[in-house]
Amino acid sequence: MDKKGKRGDSCGISDKKGKEHMVKQIIIYILLFFGAVIQGLAMSLFLFPHNIPSGGGAGLAILLNHFFHLPLGFALWIANAVFLIFALNYFGFTWTIKTILSVATTSLTVSYMTENVFLTHIHIGLDLLLGSIFYGIGVGTLIRVGSSSGGMVIPSLMIARIRNWNPGVVMFWINLCIFLLTSVVIDYKIILFAIICQFLSTRVIDYIYVLEVPKIPSLSLSWRRK
């Protein structure tokens, strides 16, 4: 084969790889928006009506809503915005952009659903179960595509990196402090519901994380590589 033919084959292979990469990126962002919407639905339809925080960020949003009467969606964005500013230096551009997109999508979903959709609540136990499952599905999907649900994930990872501590332990104590504050301000039973929500949702997240799917190299926890 002449040089021209070799160059043609190389260009063909390069174009094919480029198209495959583009398709993978499209799938990643479709899954990102899917996970963020599911997370927002879990919060707005099942957890927030009972003031149950799914995590530390959601707990702060509930407190901002309680004290300043801010819409829950806007309060959720405020609770994440400060930490996102610092995330860029710690976790890189791609991870931060994906997290911003997920937080924005979740906040918009919460805002729309709380203002326009009313769901009849049969029992708080059923809402807690459904909310935890859907929240776990949403966050698990975000983790699979190299994003984050925002909230206390960001400061927990920052503190863990600075102090060389286990990020899971840091996140647990930060969330616990916020849950305690929320329960004192609003209702002492909230801390029990929040812990149950954390337990159930993390089981779902772990299941999705180890779930075998057709491998896409780009799907990774980019903040762990950094």
Side-chain angles (χ1 to χ4, degrees):
M1 185 180 291
D2 59 15
K3 292 182 179 180
K4 184 176 181 181
K6 290 181 180 179
R7 284 198 298 268
D9 291 341
S10 298
C11 290
I13 293 172
S14 178
D15 290 342
K16 184 178 179 180
K17 288 183 178 179
K19 289 178 181 179
E20 288 178 353
H21 177 73
M22 183 175 68
V23 170
K24 289 174 184 177
Q25 290 302 309
I26 291 173
I27 293 173
I28 285 173
Y29 282 96
I30 288 174
L31 289 173
L32 186 150
F33 286 113
F34 168 80
V37 169
I38 292 296
Q39 180 185 225
L41 291 176
M43 292 177 173
S44 57
L45 295 181
F46 302 110
L47 301 176
F48 281 176
H50 304 288
N51 290 318
I52 300 173
S54 53
L60 290 177
I62 291 173
L63 289 171
L64 289 171
N65 172 262
H66 178 79
F67 285 117
F68 303 106
H69 307 290
L70 296 176
L72 283 168
F74 180 68
L76 187 63
W77 174 251
I78 291 296
N80 285 278
V82 175
F83 300 123
L84 286 169
I85 294 173
F86 295 101
L88 185 61
N89 291 327
Y90 279 85
F91 309 117
F93 181 79
T94 301
W95 187 89
T96 304
I97 289 298
K98 287 181 178 179
T99 300
I100 289 173
L101 287 174
S102 71
V103 169
T105 303
T106 298
S107 299
L108 289 172
T109 302
V110 170
S111 294
Y112 178 81
M113 298 303 291
T114 53
E115 293 174 6
N116 297 283
V117 177
F118 175 77
L119 186 66
T120 301
H121 301 285
I122 300 174
H123 191 275
I124 187 172
L126 180 60
D127 283 349
L128 178 59
L129 175 63
L130 293 175
S132 300
I133 291 173
F134 281 111
Y135 181 78
I137 292 172
V139 175
T141 303
L142 291 174
I143 290 175
R144 287 298 294 259
V145 297
S147 181
S148 147
S149 59
M152 297 302 106
V153 173
I154 298 171
S156 297
L157 293 173
M158 291 167 60
I159 293 172
R161 176 171 293 186
I162 294 171
R163 305 293 298 181
N164 197 26
W165 291 341
N166 187 323
V169 174
V170 178
M171 194 180 307
F172 172 81
W173 286 107
I174 291 177
N175 285 342
L176 183 61
C177 290
I178 295 174
F179 292 160
L180 283 170
L181 179 59
T182 308
S183 65
V184 169
V185 171
I186 300 176
D187 190 337
Y188 72 92
K189 290 180 289 187
I190 286 176
I191 188 169
L192 175 61
F193 295 142
I195 291 173
I196 293 173
C197 177
Q198 288 279 293
F199 176 80
L200 294 175
S201 62
T202 50
R203 301 288 79 75
V204 177
I205 291 169
D206 288 343
Y207 175 78
I208 292 176
Y209 183 70
V210 300
L211 186 66
E212 291 293 333
V213 294
K215 188 175 181 182
I216 300 177
S218 299
L219 300 187
S220 62
L221 289 176
S222 58
W223 56 266
R224 287 188 177 181
R225 292 182 177 180
K226 188 146 177 82

